[in-house]
Amino acid sequence: MYAVELTNLTRRFGDFTAVNNLSLQIKQGSIYGFLGPNGSGKSTTIRMLCGLMTPTSGSGKILGLDIAHDSEDIKHKIGYMSQKFSLYDDLTVKQNLEFYAGMYSLSEDVGERRIKEMLSLADLEDRQNELVVNLSGGWKQRLALGCAIIHTPQILFLDEPTGGVDPKSRRMFWEIIYKLASQGTTIMVTTHFMDEAEHCDEIGFIFEGNLIANGTPSQLIKMVPGVLVRIATHEPMELLETVMASSIPYLDIYPFGASLHILLEEDQLAQIAAFPYKQITPGLEDVFVYLVKSKRKEMKI
């Protein structure tokens, strides 16, 4: 059984289509990464799945429940953590957890047990009486997660959960995600950090409201044709202009940090022998660049 099943899910705002005919399935107990740039439709999709927004057309099921007709039942089975962290700054860490335990109607015994578990999970036992307003972004992030899962939801929706926090906090957060998934929780996480996507069992790339690819990380990497090479350089834009001005053939070329990535057919490698290149395996960011450019070419036709 799938935890999430979407069929042609669409959301329009006037003449603007935020999500366009989205169809996908998420296996129970898996981590599904929903990737795309800001404004691509990720948050709109999550809000529809959580019952916070009504689809314009199409259908969806969460744990077998219809998102259009069973939204109240769905809310008791899911956890939702928004990118803005729905916390109360004027309450303490423990008071925030107590509030959410009450909101989900947990009994006193269960509530006390889950609050202790969430404090331990987030490593916040020593800060439970501290006002949330005094916490850093990383601590708030872990507390917000604790509040979202205090009722032991079967599926957890995380909308850009690591935005604005430091790398160490991001790593610690993902350790918690792994633990939850290993215990059977299904997790759907939206992000624009491609390195985080490599932690997911399956990934969907969304661009301008359209799902342009879906599969495991290894399946997506195989979608990039030819061979990819990396040329290290302190001036990637200058090197880009040099290569583009030459007669060197290539499938694609783009700056990538302190380097230039060039996608070529294998028999074209000899043409760049003058450059100190290194053949590399495409990363998910390379996959996304390739897919977006392909989609834009398709839309122009």
Side-chain angles (χ1 to χ4, degrees):
M1 181 178 173
Y2 292 103
V4 177
E5 294 180 88
L6 306 180
T7 305
N8 299 325
L9 196 68
T10 300
R11 174 67 197 201
R12 299 188 187 90
F13 297 95
D15 294 331
F16 175 68
T17 302
V19 177
N20 185 38
N21 289 322
L22 177 64
S23 297
L24 61 83
Q25 297 172 320
I26 301 176
K27 297 172 185 173
Q28 285 194 351
S30 67
I31 303 175
Y32 186 88
F34 202 42
L35 275 69
N38 292 331
S40 57
K42 302 189 301 296
S43 295
T44 300
T45 300
I46 292 289
R47 288 176 187 138
M48 285 191 284
L49 299 187
C50 292
L52 302 174
M53 189 178 288
T54 306
T56 303
S57 61
S59 62
K61 289 185 178 181
I62 304 294
L63 302 169
L65 298 170
D66 189 281
I67 62 173
H69 303 107
D70 304 316
S71 59
E72 287 306 311
D73 291 333
I74 288 172
K75 286 175 184 176
H76 293 288
K77 295 178 180 291
I78 67 172
Y80 170 61
M81 178 178 161
S82 72
Q83 53 191 302
K84 294 181 180 178
F85 303 160
S86 302
L87 299 172
Y88 295 91
D89 283 346
D90 56 343
L91 298 181
T92 66
V93 167
K94 187 177 181 182
Q95 286 170 338
N96 268 272
L97 289 166
E98 288 171 341
F99 171 79
Y100 278 94
M103 191 177 76
Y104 287 112
S105 303
L106 301 186
S107 67
E108 187 176 344
D109 288 347
V110 173
E112 286 182 7
R113 174 174 58 81
R114 288 297 289 165
I115 287 170
K116 288 180 181 178
E117 290 173 354
M118 294 303 97
L119 289 171
S120 175
L121 181 76
D123 197 22
L124 280 163
E125 295 103 326
D126 295 338
R127 309 186 76 165
Q128 60 183 289
N129 296 317
E130 191 170 333
L131 288 175
V132 167
V133 70
N134 297 325
L135 298 180
S136 68
W139 291 110
K140 285 183 178 180
Q141 173 203 53
R142 278 178 272 165
L143 175 58
L145 177 61
C147 291
I149 63 173
I150 197 164
H151 59 304
T152 320
Q154 295 177 53
I155 182 167
L156 177 61
F157 294 103
L158 304 172
D159 191 9
E160 297 280 358
T162 57
V165 299
D166 60 272
K168 182 180 178 182
S169 294
R170 284 173 58 193
R171 286 194 300 272
M172 291 185 70
F173 187 84
W174 274 95
E175 288 172 8
I176 298 173
I177 296 303
Y178 288 143
K179 185 176 181 180
L180 291 170
S182 70
Q183 295 170 348
T185 305
T186 305
I187 297 164
M188 183 178 186
V189 54
T190 74
T191 181
H192 59 271
F193 293 117
M194 297 296 166
D195 60 322
E196 291 187 347
E198 294 172 3
H199 302 305
C200 300
D201 298 307
E202 289 191 278
I203 297 164
F205 279 123
I206 187 169
F207 176 68
E208 294 185 354
N210 296 284
L211 188 69
I212 59 176
N214 186 60
T216 65
S218 59
Q219 288 172 336
L220 294 173
I221 286 170
K222 289 176 183 176
M223 295 180 73
V224 179
V227 294
L228 184 67
V229 301
R230 176 182 184 272
I231 303 173
T233 172
H234 294 299
E235 299 293 343
M237 294 306 296
E238 287 185 17
L239 182 59
L240 173 69
E241 292 175 6
T242 299
V243 175
M244 291 181 70
S246 71
S247 58
I248 296 173
Y250 54 82
L251 298 173
D252 199 4
I253 184 171
Y254 48 92
F256 196 97
S259 67
L260 188 69
H261 282 196
I262 309 177
L263 187 64
L264 314 106
E265 298 288 2
E266 194 163 359
D267 59 7
Q268 296 173 336
L269 282 172
Q271 307 249 12
I272 59 167
F275 298 97
Y277 74 85
K278 180 181 179 182
Q279 190 170 331
I280 60 172
T281 300
L284 289 175
E285 194 157 343
D286 296 298
V287 175
F288 190 64
V289 168
Y290 171 74
L291 291 171
V292 167
K293 287 187 175 182
S294 299
K295 185 68 177 178
R296 281 178 171 154
K297 288 177 184 176
E298 179 187 311
M299 290 167 69
K300 286 179 182 178
I301 293 173

